[in-house]
């Protein structure tokens, strides 16, 4: 392991044996995952001409992904990535093929929802699996936080590229092509990751604990609660930014405005992950979420588009550091035999929070104004800070990651 100073280069991280191979192998899959949900909206709406039906099918997909993801991850922890992932990928591909086939014929809603549920429940969380590989390769190393920063970066890029790509293909070619492309990218990246056998974490040995009950302790549950709070933040921000743009008569402004936060987050994540920070990890976690909350406050009062753009940039400073820290703290808070499950539960918590935040903020905005939706985001930030404080008070093991 190379000697570490205050400054870390990402080249040091990628020089870990096999690291750049599995990191790049998963890149197409990340983009495919980011495309899938919106692709289903395009697919179902094109065949039914109903956004209500499309939303219902996509909602079933999202709920199944959030609930089923940790169960799939449990199998991966138990039997290993190389044995389990091919079966899961093929199951998901078949579910998506069934969904595509159903949309070209007159199909009852409950059948479409059932296909969406099967597709969501079988969607593998490749990010959790690459994070588990980083943890296996760098456990106990100061490089681990930078590795998780790379993960956050790749996920952010995927969700910048994926939705736009599926929208472009679906509108210029066909919704079937958009959904098929999303599934193809997921399969290509997933099977490429399977081929990287040397870097895969070993499956649990006979008699080792792989039950989800191993995650039922205060520290990890508080981490999940913090990610639910961040999901509430994202969900309410998406609705509020869109409502602000529509209220001004410039709906096309919503996308560029919302992307400002993501772009700033990319830069902040790169800067954060390139250094070793002297502050204790638990304190960093509380600080990042406190910054996120405080920087949301200007959105309660600004009105001009340029001012809203600047205000939306500020929370982006804390998002990527939060994502990196939550991964680092999860790795140091659970046993290796349930690590994939743990990372997947973070994803599920965030997804559940986004759904709840969007629904709640939507009602608030309908009855008032977009600024009230930003107030919901502020309250979500405060909830996350509270949970982060609980994590800090119980996170005595966090010092071992070398930050």
């Amino acid at each position: 392991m190379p000697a570490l100073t205050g400054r870390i280069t990402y080249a040091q991280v990628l020089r870990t044996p096999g690291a750049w191979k599995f990191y790049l192998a998963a890149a197409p899959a990340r983009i495919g995952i980011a495309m899938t949900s919106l692709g289903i909206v395009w697919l179902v709406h094109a065949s039914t001409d109903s956004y209500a039906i499309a939303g219902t099918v996509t909602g079933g997909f999202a709920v199944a992904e959030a609930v089923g993801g940790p169960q799939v991850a449990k199998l991966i922890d138990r039997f290993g990535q190389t044995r389990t992932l091919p079966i899961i990928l093929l199951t998901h591909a078949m579910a998506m093929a069934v969904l595509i086939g159903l949309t070209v014929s007159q199909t009852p809603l409950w059948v479409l929802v059932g296909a969406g549920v099967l597709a969501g429940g079988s969607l593998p969380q490749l990010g959790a699996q690459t994070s588990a590989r980083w943890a296996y390769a760098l456990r106990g190393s100061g490089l681990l936080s930078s590795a998780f920063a790379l993960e956050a970066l790749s996920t952010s890029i995927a969700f910048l590229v994926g939705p736009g790509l599926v929208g472009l293909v679906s509108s210029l070619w066909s919704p079937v092509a958009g959904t098929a492309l999303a599934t193809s990218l997921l399969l290509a990246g997933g099977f490429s990751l399977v081929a990287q056998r040397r870097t895969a974490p070993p499956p649990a040995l006979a008699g080792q604990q792989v039950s989800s009950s191993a995650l039922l302790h205060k520290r990890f549950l508080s981490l999940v609660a913090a990610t639910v709070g961040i999901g509430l933040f994202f969900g309410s921000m998406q609705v509020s930014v869109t409502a602000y743009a529509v209220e001004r008569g410039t709906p096309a402004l919503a996308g560029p405005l919302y992307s400002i936060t993501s772009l700033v987050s990319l830069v902040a994540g790169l800067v954060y992950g390139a250094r070793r920070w002297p502050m204790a990890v638990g304190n960093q976690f509380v600080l990042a979420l406190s910054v996120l909350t405080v920087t949301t406050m200007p959105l309660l009062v600004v009105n001009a588009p340029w001012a809203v753009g600047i205000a939306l940039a500020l929370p982006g400073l804390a998002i990527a550091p939060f994502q990196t820290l939550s991964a680092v703290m999860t790795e140091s808070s659970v046993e290796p035999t349930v690590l994939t499950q743990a990372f997947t539960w973070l994803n599920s918590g965030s997804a559940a929070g986004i759904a709840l935040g969007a629904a709640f903020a939507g009602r608030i905005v309908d009855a008032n104004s977009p600024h009230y939706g930003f107030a919901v985001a502020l309250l979500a930030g405060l909830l996350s800070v509270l949970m982060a404080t609980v994590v800090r008070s119980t996170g005595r093991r966090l010092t071992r990651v070398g930050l």
Side-chain angles (χ1 to χ4, degrees):
M1 185 70 62
L4 298 180
T5 61
R7 184 175 178 80
I8 297 172
T9 67
Y10 289 109
Q12 286 177 281
V13 177
L14 292 173
R15 279 199 296 268
T16 303
W20 69 268
K21 292 182 179 180
F22 74 73
Y23 182 68
L24 293 181
R30 293 187 182 96
I31 296 174
I33 290 171
M35 295 169 64
T36 300
S37 181
L38 184 57
I40 292 175
V41 174
W42 277 92
L43 182 70
V44 177
H45 178 263
S47 65
T48 64
D49 198 29
S50 169
Y51 281 111
I53 295 176
T56 300
V57 175
T58 307
F61 172 91
V63 171
E65 179 186 358
V67 175
Q71 312 313 315
V72 171
K74 183 177 179 180
L75 294 174
I76 292 171
D77 279 332
R78 177 66 184 89
F79 297 105
Q81 293 185 15
T82 55
R83 290 177 60 189
T84 311
L85 187 53
I87 300 172
I88 297 168
L89 287 167
L90 291 175
T91 301
H92 176 73
M94 287 188 291
M96 292 302 295
V98 168
L99 182 59
I100 290 173
L102 291 174
T103 57
V104 300
S105 60
Q106 295 295 324
T107 306
L109 176 59
W110 69 269
V111 178
L112 286 175
V113 172
V117 167
L118 180 59
S122 59
L123 183 71
Q125 297 297 328
L126 271 295
Q129 295 175 52
T130 52
S131 293
R133 289 181 183 237
W134 285 119
Y136 174 61
L138 296 173
R139 182 166 289 117
S141 165
L143 292 174
L144 187 56
S145 61
S146 296
F148 287 145
L150 280 176
E151 281 295 306
L153 173 68
S154 61
T155 299
S156 297
I157 291 174
F159 278 90
L160 280 175
V161 173
L165 179 58
V166 73
L168 183 66
V169 173
S170 296
S171 59
L172 296 182
W173 194 356
S174 75
V176 170
T179 299
L181 177 61
T183 305
S184 298
L185 288 171
L186 175 57
L187 290 174
F191 280 107
S192 295
L193 187 64
V194 170
Q196 311 300 319
R197 294 178 177 272
R198 294 181 60 186
T199 54
L205 299 175
Q208 280 188 300
Q209 175 64 270
V210 294
S211 171
S212 299
S213 62
L215 301 174
L216 298 179
H217 55 83
K218 187 176 181 180
R219 183 184 301 123
F220 180 70
L221 293 177
S222 299
L223 275 169
V224 174
T227 63
V228 172
I230 288 297
L232 289 168
F233 175 88
F234 283 133
S236 55
M237 288 288 282
Q238 289 171 0
V239 169
S240 302
V241 170
T242 302
Y244 166 80
V246 170
E247 187 180 72
R248 292 186 58 86
T250 54
L253 191 61
L257 279 176
Y258 193 75
S259 68
I260 290 173
T261 305
S262 299
L263 291 173
V264 173
S265 177
L266 287 178
V267 176
L270 280 171
V271 174
Y272 175 79
R275 294 188 60 85
R276 297 182 72 207
W277 301 91
M279 183 183 294
V281 180
N283 292 338
Q284 289 184 50
F285 194 56
V286 174
L287 177 61
L289 289 173
S290 298
V291 169
L292 180 76
T293 302
V294 171
T295 54
T296 304
M297 292 179 179
L299 288 166
L300 302 180
V301 295
V302 296
N303 286 296
W306 65 267
V308 171
I310 294 173
L312 285 170
L314 298 177
L317 296 171
I319 291 173
F322 159 78
Q323 293 171 330
T324 301
L325 285 164
S326 62
V328 169
M329 297 172 76
T330 298
E331 187 277 334
S332 65
S333 299
V334 304
E335 297 302 322
T337 53
V338 293
L339 191 54
T340 308
Q341 292 179 71
F343 286 133
T344 306
W345 273 115
L346 294 187
N347 295 337
S348 295
S350 178
I354 289 172
L356 291 173
F360 184 61
R363 290 179 176 272
I364 296 295
V365 168
D366 280 343
N368 298 279
S369 74
H371 288 83
Y372 283 83
F374 292 131
V376 175
L378 177 61
L379 292 175
L382 290 172
L383 171 64
S384 296
V385 172
L386 176 62
M387 292 299 99
T389 304
V390 176
V391 173
R392 180 179 61 180
S393 68
T394 58
R396 304 306 178 193
R397 295 175 55 201
L398 301 178
T399 55
R400 74 174 172 85
V401 298
L403 289 175

